[in-house]
């Protein structure tokens, strides 16, 4: 392949470019991104960035970027695949490539009159809004919503979090561990309202709940998940269904096109995790260069979240059989295992609060 185009200039895109060079590819690499910024780390945006402790955290220094010898097409998003070897851009130009890596990530789901947090520019606006507010409303008690609530509380703001599910994070961690995470809000003075939908948000920030209650806020953030950024692929040759459909090696129905990161629906599973993007990039680029699927990625499902001074770590999958192995939930310092329903001795998932050492030790033995 003489030219490989990487569509998406964030973590998955950068790691794909690095993986190509590590695997000996010495051809032309073109990296297309809709933001004007070089790759930066997104996780700090909801934490230390909002707190004013850091600015943008680059994912690579200039020396590493120079070593990639890549052509950067930033600030001009991809608008379509004209063919299996040509990508149209919003600035009216096209990129011809023998191979394509789709790494366009996700798009936040929105509610009118709310902020979202995905990009650096959105984080700048949100930081200014929170700094000028006293009452902060957060819709959604998932990881991103909880992290924003934690940061706002650390800044001395009155915080109310509204979650549609009866227990936060149930779909990821299960009811018992989701409840343990939800209790962190009350521990630190935030108000958590669960089991109720949001009807609308007024221009002035008032949140209208489905049961008629009102929540006053100066600024409201929607943390209600993302959808894969695949609109630009509509009508093109690549199959799309809850992301870019690909096999466990990231290879799509078009052999010279692979997908990685949040946008990739790999073997029926879409993983929106930092570590998954990095791991998938290694596998998918290897398959792209091989011209076929010679390696596959097994999703470990590792995710971490820092909330109210507590680090939550999770890997694997959640089940109804949860056992605290060390520490206690009440102390907010523990490690628990999830057991297989058919084989209770088999550990299929691990979760920890503020117990990284034990988590790491137990993680090595995860089946």
């Amino acid at each position: 392949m003489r030219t490989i185009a990487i569509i998406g200039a964030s973590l998955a895109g950068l790691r794909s470019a690095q993986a190509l060079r590590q695997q000996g590819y010495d051809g032309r690499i073109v990296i297309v991104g809709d933001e004007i910024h070089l790759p930066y780390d997104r996780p700090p945006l909801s934490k230390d960035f909002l707190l004013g402790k850091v600015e943008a955290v680059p994912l690579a220094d200039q020396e590493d970027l120079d070593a990639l010898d890549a052509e950067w097409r930033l600030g001009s998003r991809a608008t379509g695949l004209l063919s299996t070897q040509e990508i149209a851009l919003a600035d009216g130009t096209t990129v011809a490539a023998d191979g394509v890596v789709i790494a366009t990530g996700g798009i936040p789901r929105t509610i009118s009159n709310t902020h979202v947090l995905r990009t650096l520019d959105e984080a700048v606006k949100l930081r200014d809004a929170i700094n000028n507010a006293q009452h902060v409303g957060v819709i959604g008690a998932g990881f991103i919503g909880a992290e924003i609530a934690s940061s706002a509380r650390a800044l001395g703001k009155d915080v109310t979090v509204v979650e549609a599910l009866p227990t936060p994070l149930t779909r990821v961690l299960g009811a018992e561990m989701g409840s343990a995470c939800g209790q962190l809000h009350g521990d630190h003075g935030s108000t958590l309202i669960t089991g109720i939908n949001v009807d609308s948000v007024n221009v002035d920030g008032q949140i209208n709940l489905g049961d008629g209650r009102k929540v006053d806020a100066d600024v409201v953030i929607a943390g209600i998940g993302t959808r894969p950024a695949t609109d630009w692929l509509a009508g093109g040759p690549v199959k799309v269904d809850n992301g870019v459909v690909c096999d466990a090696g990231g290879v799509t129905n078009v052999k010279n096109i692979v997908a990685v990161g949040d946008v990739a629906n790999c073997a029926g599973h879409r993983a929106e995790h930092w570590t998954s993007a990095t791991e998938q990039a290694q596998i998918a680029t290897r398959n792209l260069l091989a011209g076929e699927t010679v390696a596959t990625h097994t999703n470990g499902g590792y995710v971490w979240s820092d909330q109210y001074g507590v680090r939550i770590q999770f890997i694997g999958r959640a089940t109804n059989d949860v056992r605290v192995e060390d520490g206690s939930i009440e102390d907010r310092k523990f490690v628990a295992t999830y057991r297989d329903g058919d084989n209770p001795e088999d550990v299929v998932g691990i979760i920890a609060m503020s117990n990284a050492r034990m988590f790491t030790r137990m993680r090595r033995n995860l089946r």
Side-chain angles (χ1 to χ4, degrees):
M1 291 184 176
R2 291 177 297 178
T3 299
I4 294 177
I6 300 174
I7 313 303
S10 191
L11 174 68
L14 174 65
R15 294 291 185 257
S16 295
Q18 292 172 326
L20 286 168
R21 293 304 189 209
Q22 290 164 5
Q23 294 171 38
Y25 176 72
D26 60 1
R28 177 177 174 236
I29 296 178
V30 181
I31 304 176
V32 176
D34 56 358
E35 294 184 66
I36 62 173
H37 311 288
L38 286 165
Y40 57 87
D41 205 13
R42 294 191 193 276
L45 296 182
S46 58
K47 298 180 277 286
D48 285 350
F49 185 89
L50 287 186
L51 294 173
K53 294 181 179 180
V54 300
E55 292 302 312
V57 179
L59 281 170
D61 60 28
Q62 192 58 51
E63 183 178 354
D64 290 334
L65 293 176
D66 291 343
L68 285 179
D69 189 26
E71 177 184 334
W72 295 86
R73 303 285 295 273
L74 300 178
S76 185
R77 62 184 176 84
T79 57
L81 278 177
L82 300 180
S83 70
T84 60
Q85 295 185 316
E86 187 175 19
I87 303 100
L89 306 186
D91 62 7
T93 63
T94 62
V95 175
D98 308 298
V100 179
V101 179
I102 299 174
T104 44
I107 300 170
R109 300 184 186 279
T110 61
I111 298 174
S112 296
N113 302 317
T114 66
H115 289 260
V116 293
L117 179 55
R118 177 78 177 184
T119 68
L120 176 59
D121 292 341
E122 289 165 349
V124 170
K125 293 178 181 178
L126 179 58
R127 184 171 62 180
D128 291 343
I130 290 177
N131 285 336
N132 292 318
Q134 185 52 48
H135 303 282
V136 175
V138 180
I139 302 172
F143 288 125
I144 187 67
E147 289 172 1
I148 294 170
S150 169
S151 296
R153 192 75 191 109
L155 291 168
K157 310 303 179 181
D158 296 324
V159 177
T160 300
V161 182
V162 181
E163 169 58 50
L165 294 174
T167 304
L169 292 164
T170 302
R171 292 169 183 158
V172 180
L173 305 178
E176 184 177 355
M177 292 297 109
S179 176
C181 293
Q183 290 167 20
L184 291 172
H185 296 290
D187 290 349
H188 296 272
S190 296
T191 300
L192 174 63
I193 301 172
T194 61
I196 193 71
N197 288 315
V198 170
D199 275 352
S200 62
V201 177
N202 296 347
V203 174
D204 62 4
Q206 186 180 71
I207 304 171
N208 303 304
L209 303 183
D211 61 3
R213 284 181 291 170
K214 313 288 185 184
V215 176
D216 290 326
D218 305 313
V219 57
V220 181
I221 304 96
I224 54 174
T226 64
R227 62 181 181 85
T230 57
D231 293 352
W232 67 285
L233 295 169
V238 173
K239 184 177 179 181
V240 173
D241 183 9
N242 185 31
V244 175
V245 177
C246 49
D247 64 17
V251 179
T252 72
N253 60 299
V254 180
K255 297 303 181 182
N256 69 311
I257 300 178
V258 298
V260 296
D262 293 5
V263 76
N265 185 346
C266 293
H269 181 77
R270 196 163 61 84
E272 299 180 12
H273 304 315
W274 198 96
T275 50
S276 295
T278 299
E279 293 165 357
Q280 288 175 359
Q282 289 285 338
I283 299 299
T285 52
R286 180 181 170 187
N287 293 331
L288 180 64
L289 294 176
E292 60 180 337
T293 303
V294 297
T296 57
H297 173 254
T298 301
N299 175 50
Y302 175 66
V303 61
W304 78 93
S305 179
D306 295 322
Q307 304 172 22
Y308 301 103
V310 172
R311 169 151 288 194
I312 301 164
Q313 294 172 282
F314 169 76
I315 189 169
R317 60 184 176 89
T319 66
N320 292 326
D321 187 351
V322 190
R323 306 180 191 182
V324 176
E325 308 287 352
D326 184 74
S328 71
I329 294 175
E330 292 72 24
D331 292 337
R332 310 297 187 243
K333 184 175 182 179
F334 66 90
V335 176
T337 57
Y338 296 91
R339 304 301 181 106
D340 188 291
D342 297 325
N343 301 288
E345 296 307 310
D346 289 349
V347 175
V348 296
I350 305 170
I351 184 171
M353 270 192 186
S354 299
N355 203 335
R357 181 175 297 179
M358 182 66 73
F359 177 87
T360 301
R361 185 181 308 163
M362 296 182 69
R363 178 181 178 179
R364 297 192 189 107
N365 300 319
L366 184 65
R367 290 179 183 270

